Amino acid sequence: MAHSIVMSMGMQIMEQLLAGIGGRVPRSFSGPLVDVLYKLTGRYATGSRRWLQDLLEGFPSILVQQTDKDAFLKGILGQRSFKRFKQCTHEFSTKCRGLSNSVYGSIA
């Protein structure tokens, strides 16, 4: 039952996770979003890859280039280490928010 729900609503779930990580929610609230993204990409790897590739075209921020998006995808898909996953997500989030060259971008 849960599998069919995630597969049918996966794109919308992923869209909201990316929007939050990309700047729609305050940085202090992004932790739980990263946790859900980690579980989603681990359990539904094939669907997650497809959803992320589709959603990252022109989304979630105009501040990130295609190379940043590709690095983000490569860094999180198939990642077993939560620490590394969280680091890749934090780097992407700070770029989306325009904080990568600031003091706030260095705070993990």
Side-chain angles (χ1 to χ4, degrees), residues 54-62 66 69:
D54 290 346
L55 289 169
L56 285 174
E57 292 184 25
F59 183 80
S61 172
I62 59 170
Q66 188 60 43
K69 294 174 186 181

Side-chain angles (χ1 to χ4, degrees), residues 94-108:
T94 55
K95 287 179 184 179
C96 288
R97 295 169 190 267
L99 299 173
S100 59
N101 293 325
S102 70
V103 174
Y104 299 107
S106 63
I107 299 172

Side-chain angles (χ1 to χ4, degrees), residues 5-45:
I5 292 171
V6 171
M7 292 309 291
S8 65
M9 300 296 293
M11 180 76 88
Q12 293 87 351
I13 295 168
M14 192 68 73
E15 181 178 17
Q16 295 305 312
L17 291 172
L18 283 179
I21 291 167
R24 190 176 294 165
V25 301
R27 288 182 305 138
S28 60
F29 295 146
S30 66
L33 300 178
V34 173
D35 295 341
V36 174
L37 183 62
Y38 180 71
K39 292 293 185 184
L40 194 61
T41 57
R43 184 161 295 188
Y44 302 97

Side-chain angles (χ1 to χ4, degrees), residues 30-82:
S30 66
L33 300 178
V34 173
D35 295 341
V36 174
L37 183 62
Y38 180 71
K39 292 293 185 184
L40 194 61
T41 57
R43 184 161 295 188
Y44 302 97
T46 305
S48 293
R49 177 179 301 277
R50 187 179 64 244
W51 301 324
L52 284 167
Q53 288 172 338
D54 290 346
L55 289 169
L56 285 174
E57 292 184 25
F59 183 80
S61 172
I62 59 170
L63 300 174
V64 290
Q65 305 299 319
Q66 188 60 43
T67 55
D68 299 322
K69 294 174 186 181
D70 293 341
F72 173 66
L73 278 174
K74 185 178 179 185
I76 66 166
L77 292 175
Q79 186 61 251
R80 290 185 171 178
S81 165
F82 181 66

